[in-house]
Amino acid sequence: MDHAADAQRTDLMTITRYVLNEQSKHPEARGDLTILLSHIVLGCKFVCSAVNKAGLAKLIGLAGDTNIQGEEQKKLDVLSNDVFINALKSSGRANVLVSEENEEPIFVEASKRGRYCVVFDPLDGSSNIDCGVSIGTIFGIYMLQEGSEGTVADVLKPGKNMVAAGYCMYGSSCTLVLSTGTGANGFTLDPSLGEFILTHPNIKIPKKGKIYSVNEGNAKNWDQPTTSYFIICRYVEKAKFPIDGSSPKSLRYIGSMVADVHRTLLYGGIFMYPADKKSPNGKLRVLYEVFPMSFLVEQAGGQSFTGQGRALDIVPKNIHERSPIFLGSYDDVEEIKALYSAAEVKKE
Ligand SMILES: O=P(O)(O)OC[C@H]1O[C@](O)(COP(=O)(O)O)[C@@H](O)[C@@H]1O
Ligand SMILES: [Mg+2]
Ligand SMILES: [Mg+2]
């Protein structure tokens, strides 16, 4: 055993230390957000271990029920949902919970209630569970409005009101990317320590990327002849056959938003899920997919656009609302925005 190397490891930045450091910058802070985040981290560790042994522990396959989205729930969807609901309730800091897997918001019983609301997708990328491709958990945190006892109105707020957001990717390694509003940082789980260690400090998404990520299999459903149809086709066409002498972009699409956004944050490029005939408002859910990912991308210097405006400015009307999304490198999203405004001008 290389004790010297082990001794060195003690000055590593764990996620707990990072969050406590962030808390110390706010003298008025009571530590509630720190405690809440530590319970979310615990939930991620729990789900990570379940995902790693899913094939062995018979956690592959369907649970037998259908969720509010009309999707057949996977066993890991249900298990992850239970894990996070219990972890959040036992933190004593949560008040209103919104999960992709629950039709209605969950109001934490008074004895365990706190000042924060958590919106979450307990298991993202469900279609990839059974083949062992990267999946994840996505979460966003709001603070209760002044004087509120905790109602759904506390979460039907623009994403820019969130105080923290993150995702945990269960892939070749388990990586948790977190922002409390001062940049985005990535932590990798060291299984031997059971600790998330800071490995990607202050993530900065490249200003322009060489990758576009969209499910081109939906192309026939892209909403003809609407603006978004022409724009997506134009953008994909330009990516494949650039006319400015630049080299074609590469297509990368994993089909797990967490994994596609994680790659986009680190390598740059653009991730898109436009509206189409099948999903006239897009497929991805505003509160627990679009908002947290947009929050992180903006914190990393990128941008997130809906086709109509900044994603974080959306004021959701219901907890499972969907929205088209274009997020990633600043310049790549600018290109989409330019195509949209050109289309608007043409309409006039
Ligand atoms: O198969 P499609 O239509 O491309 O959709 C893939 C998208 O759907 C999702 O799987 C939806 O999320 P859930 O798995 O949490 O329902 C995203 O992770 C992913 O980006
Ligand atoms: Mg999802
Ligand atoms: Mg999900």
Side-chain angles (χ1 to χ4, degrees):
M1 176 104 95
D2 179 352
H3 293 304
D6 277 350
Q8 284 301 321
R9 296 175 74 191
T10 52
D11 72 347
L12 293 174
M13 175 64 80
T14 64
I15 195 166
T16 315
R17 246 179 83 195
Y18 169 79
V19 173
L20 283 169
N21 281 356
E22 288 302 300
Q23 180 193 320
S24 66
K25 295 175 188 163
H26 307 273
E28 77 291 354
R30 301 182 335 186
D32 292 342
L33 182 60
T34 301
I35 293 171
L36 183 68
L37 285 169
S38 68
H39 281 73
I40 291 175
V41 167
L42 181 64
C44 292
K45 290 178 186 174
F46 203 105
V47 172
C48 179
S49 91
V51 168
N52 288 346
K53 56 180 185 254
L56 305 165
K58 301 207 173 358
L59 285 170
I60 296 283
L62 297 174
D65 292 326
T66 302
N67 67 15
I68 170 69
Q69 333 273 346
E71 296 159 349
E72 287 189 291
Q73 288 181 311
K74 297 286 178 83
K75 287 180 185 166
L76 272 172
D77 284 324
V78 175
L79 178 124
S80 315
N81 197 36
D82 295 344
V83 165
F84 283 103
I85 291 173
N86 294 335
L88 293 166
K89 282 186 174 176
S90 62
S91 75
R93 299 309 183 276
N95 190 308
V96 183
L97 307 179
V98 168
S99 165
E100 175 199 2
E101 302 302 333
N102 292 74
E103 183 164 0
E104 300 300 331
I106 300 159
F107 298 101
V108 176
E109 49 271 31
S111 59
K112 290 187 182 166
R113 206 172 276 168
R115 299 182 300 145
Y116 291 96
C117 305
V118 185
V119 293
F120 62 103
D121 178 352
L123 210 285
D124 176 68
S126 307
S127 62
N128 280 325
I129 294 174
D130 296 358
C131 59
V133 168
S134 299
I135 51 182
T137 294
I138 310 173
F139 61 91
I141 301 175
Y142 289 95
M143 203 158 187
L144 278 190
Q145 303 168 94
E146 208 55 48
S148 168
E149 288 300 309
T151 67
V152 70
D154 287 298
V155 292
L156 295 181
K157 290 272 171 259
K160 61 187 174 212
N161 292 24
M162 285 183 167
V163 292
Y167 63 78
C168 189
M169 184 178 73
Y170 313 115
S172 50
S173 63
C174 179
T175 309
L176 198 158
V177 174
L178 173 70
S179 178
T180 53
T182 52
N185 292 275
F187 304 81
T188 302
L189 182 63
D190 180 330
S192 66
L193 296 178
E195 274 286 3
F196 278 101
I197 308 291
L198 182 63
T199 47
H200 302 76
N202 204 14
I203 298 171
K204 285 291 168 241
I205 187 170
K207 196 154 181 304
K208 190 166 181 45
K210 298 188 177 76
I211 293 172
Y212 72 102
S213 182
V214 65
N215 184 348
E216 287 200 52
N218 288 335
K220 94 169 180 22
N221 290 319
W222 285 342
D223 221 1
Q224 308 166 351
T226 61
T227 310
S228 67
Y229 165 68
F230 290 113
I231 281 163
I232 301 301
C233 293
R234 283 291 317 285
Y235 185 86
V236 169
E237 195 68 21
K238 274 179 67 182
K240 290 178 180 175
F241 309 101
I243 45 181
D244 58 1
S246 62
S247 43
K249 289 182 190 280
S250 296
L251 170 63
R252 293 282 183 279
Y253 190 74
I254 298 165
S256 297
M257 186 187 194
V258 164
D260 281 314
V261 171
H262 187 64
R263 183 203 55 248
T264 304
L265 268 178
L266 299 186
Y267 292 179
I270 188 167
F271 169 78
M272 309 179 270
Y273 208 110
D276 62 34
K277 250 190 304 205
K278 225 174 36 180
S279 330
N281 298 315
K283 174 179 181 176
L284 300 172
R285 283 56 59 116
V286 170
L287 269 186
Y288 42 80
E289 290 171 325
V290 170
F291 277 170
M293 293 310 204
S294 302
F295 190 95
L296 292 165
V297 164
E298 284 201 5
Q299 287 291 324
Q303 58 173 324
S304 181
F305 178 62
T306 63
Q308 272 151 8
R310 179 191 178 206
L312 291 178
D313 290 341
I314 299 173
V315 182
K317 295 178 197 55
N318 73 70
I319 61 171
H320 298 296
E321 187 172 312
R322 301 171 192 260
S323 170
I325 187 71
F326 307 86
L327 60 75
S329 294
Y330 198 88
D331 292 358
D332 296 39
V333 179
E334 270 307 296
E335 236 182 289
I336 289 276
K337 288 166 80 171
L339 288 169
Y340 264 91
S341 26
E344 287 311 310
V345 171
K346 214 188 267 160
K347 248 197 266 172
E348 279 155 17

